Amino acid sequence: GGGGGGGRQILEFFAEKSVRVNVSDVPEVGEGELLLKSIRSVVSSGTELKVFCGDFDQGSQLDTTFEDMKDASMAYPLQYGYSLVGRVEAVGDGVDAGEWMGRLVFAFAPHGSHTVVPADSAIVVPAGISPEDACYFPAVETALSLVQEAAPIVGERVAVYGQGLIGLLVTAILSGTVGSQSVVAVELNAQRAAIARRMGAGTVLHPNALELGRDAPDGDFDVSIEVSGNMRALQSAIDSTGESGRVIIGSWYGGKSSQLKLGLDFHRSHIELRASQVSKIPAHLSGRWDKDRRFLEAWRWVQIIKPSNTLGTSVVPLGEAQSAYENLLNGNTVGAEFTYDD
C-alpha cells in the first residue's frame, strides 16, 4: 500500500528542553501494517518531562515494552510518546481492508500527524469512547495498575502523593472503588489540589500538614501511592505510612540520585516498599489477570472518568508543543493534548 497525501509532522526532542516539529513524507505502509491519520495524542507528563529535561540515563533503551522502541536508545534527537489515537487511512498487504479501513484506533506511537503501526499492535477504540478520551488509555491503565498493586480493602486510608496526570486518575479510581472518604490526596499546587477534590478525594492535604509523619493528625496511612516523581514525597510517604503499612512507588525518579532517611524508626516499622510499573502484571495477580483483561478494565474506567472533560488538560496544536512542555514543567497545567490539522 502507499502513504496518504500531504506531509507528515513528527515531534522531535532534539536537545535539553527543546522540541521541534519536523516535516517529512507520509510513510509507506508495509506488509501487516496500518497507516493512521492522527486525531489526538496526549503527553505522558512524568516520562516525557524527564525526556524533555534530559533527565535520563544516556544510551539506555528508549522503552523495553514497545517493539518499535526496543532498539532505540535514549539520546537526542529522539521521537517519543505512546498515547495516540487516529483513523486508519491505508492498510498494507495481508491486512483486511474491510476490517480496518476508517476504524478509530489507539496506538503506542510518538506524537505525529501520521504513524505506521503493525496491525497486531493497534487497539480498536471501543464504541462510545471519543478520540479525546481514548488517548488517555495508557495513563488510565497505569493508574489502574497502581490501585490493583496497592489493593486497598474497605476502610483503609489511602494517600496519593502527587496530583499530576497519573495521581488524579489514581484518585478517581480509588474514590470509585473504596470511596472518597478513604482517599487522601497530597499536593503542593492549589490548582491540582482543587482538581483532586473534583476527582473524588475526600481529603486534600498540603505536604506541610504531614511534617510530623505518621504522628500527624492526618497521617498514619494504611497505604501510600507515590506518583509525584519527587524523592521528598517518597520520604514523606515512608514517614507518614503506619506501622506494617505499604508504600507503592509508581514514580520514575530519572537519572539523579537522592538520599532517603531509613533510620531506626523505619527499621522497626515493618513498612513494605514496592516498585510498580504498568508493563507487566504483578506475579500475585497473574493467575487471574493478563494484559488483555486489564486493558478491558482500563477502557471501562476511561468511559467512567472521561479524562478529557475532567482533568482540565490543555489542548494545543502540535506546533505549540514547546510551550506545552514548558507549561507542564512549570506546573501551570496538569497535562497536554495535541491536535492535528485535517
Side-chain angles (χ1 to χ4, degrees), residues 111-127:
H111 305 290
S113 63
H114 300 76
T115 191
V116 169
V117 294
D120 60 11
S121 76
I123 300 171
V124 175
V125 175

Side-chain angles (χ1 to χ4, degrees), residues 153-239:
I153 62 170
V154 173
E156 284 191 314
R157 293 178 69 243
V158 189
V160 186
Y161 285 79
Q163 295 296 296
L165 179 63
I166 302 299
L168 288 166
L169 293 169
V170 168
T171 294
I173 294 172
L174 283 169
S175 67
T177 48
V178 293
S180 289
Q181 74 287 345
S182 294
V183 184
V184 180
V186 183
E187 175 55 57
L188 277 164
N189 179 301
Q191 178 201 3
R192 293 179 182 199
I195 302 169
R197 286 193 189 282
R198 199 165 74 218
M199 300 303 270
T203 305
V204 180
L205 299 178
H206 190 281
N208 290 350
L210 295 171
E211 276 178 2
L212 296 173
R214 62 185 66 90
D215 296 325
D218 289 296
D220 202 32
F221 304 120
D222 297 288
V223 192
S224 293
I225 301 174
E226 205 299 287
V227 282
S228 73
N230 185 328
M231 284 289 247
R232 288 169 64 190
L234 176 58
Q235 184 71 62
S236 178
I238 292 167
D239 294 344

